[in-house]
Amino acid sequence: MAKNLLTYLNKVLGMVIGALGLTGCMELGDGIPGGGGAVAMYGCPMANFAAEGTVRNEQGEPIKGVKVTAGERQYMSEESMGKALTDEQGQYHIKIDAMFPADSIWLYADDSTGVYAGDSARVKVEYEGNGDGMWNMGDGKAEADFRLIKN
């Protein structure tokens, strides 16, 4: 008898909830940003990144051949970090395609000759906003100048 009563109450409550229009589903929307619903997306946010600047000694003279790397040393392998050597004017230009967008990034300046002590700086990344508004954040840029001291 108790089983029949519970079955009857279950059916009645189901009809009441259905009549009130209560559902367990959510409208997904049409996939347009700001289109009024959730969008099912798979993947990882990405951005292109560029860093530039100069490396000089204590007297302000440019240092050629200093390796400048971009990334988190404790989390990235040497091969996956962006890197460049400084030219005759002490300038470097680093480009990384498709990295995880970050609001700041570490830059490291290391003299392979051992004449100068290395230096590092955490710099802010500015985005141009030319992404797609979904997963592509666009192009990020950072600038840092280093002044290395002799060992």
Side-chain angles (χ1 to χ4, degrees):
M1 169 121 177
K3 184 177 177 181
N4 289 339
L5 179 63
L6 287 176
T7 302
Y8 175 75
L9 283 173
N10 192 20
K11 289 181 181 179
V12 169
L13 288 174
M15 286 189 285
V16 169
I17 289 173
L20 292 174
L22 302 175
T23 66
C25 299
M26 181 176 88
E27 180 185 344
L28 286 179
D30 54 9
I32 299 172
V39 178
M41 295 175 62
Y42 301 95
C44 179
M46 301 300 263
N48 296 322
F49 171 76
E52 59 184 31
T54 58
V55 180
R56 299 184 179 276
N57 62 17
E58 294 170 288
Q59 290 76 31
E61 301 163 337
I63 307 173
K64 179 184 177 182
V66 174
K67 181 173 73 171
V68 181
T69 54
E72 302 283 338
R73 281 189 174 166
Q74 65 269 31
Y75 301 120
M76 299 173 74
S77 68
E78 181 72 23
E79 294 80 34
S80 64
M81 294 176 72
K83 55 189 161 199
L85 292 176
T86 56
D87 60 15
E88 293 81 17
Q89 290 81 32
Q91 297 178 346
Y92 67 91
H93 303 279
I94 298 173
K95 183 154 176 51
I96 303 174
D97 293 324
M99 70 171 238
F100 188 83
D103 58 354
S104 63
I105 193 166
W106 280 99
L107 294 174
Y108 305 91
D110 297 303
D111 179 26
S112 60
T113 64
V115 174
Y116 296 96
D119 194 7
S120 63
R122 187 170 188 98
V123 294
K124 185 176 179 165
V125 178
E126 300 286 337
Y127 291 93
E128 294 179 4
N130 57 349
D132 64 7
M134 310 259 309
W135 286 118
N136 185 340
M137 298 297 294
D139 297 326
K141 186 174 181 182
E143 294 183 21
D145 295 327
F146 294 97
R147 193 169 293 268
L148 301 186
I149 300 169
K150 278 193 173 182
N151 282 326

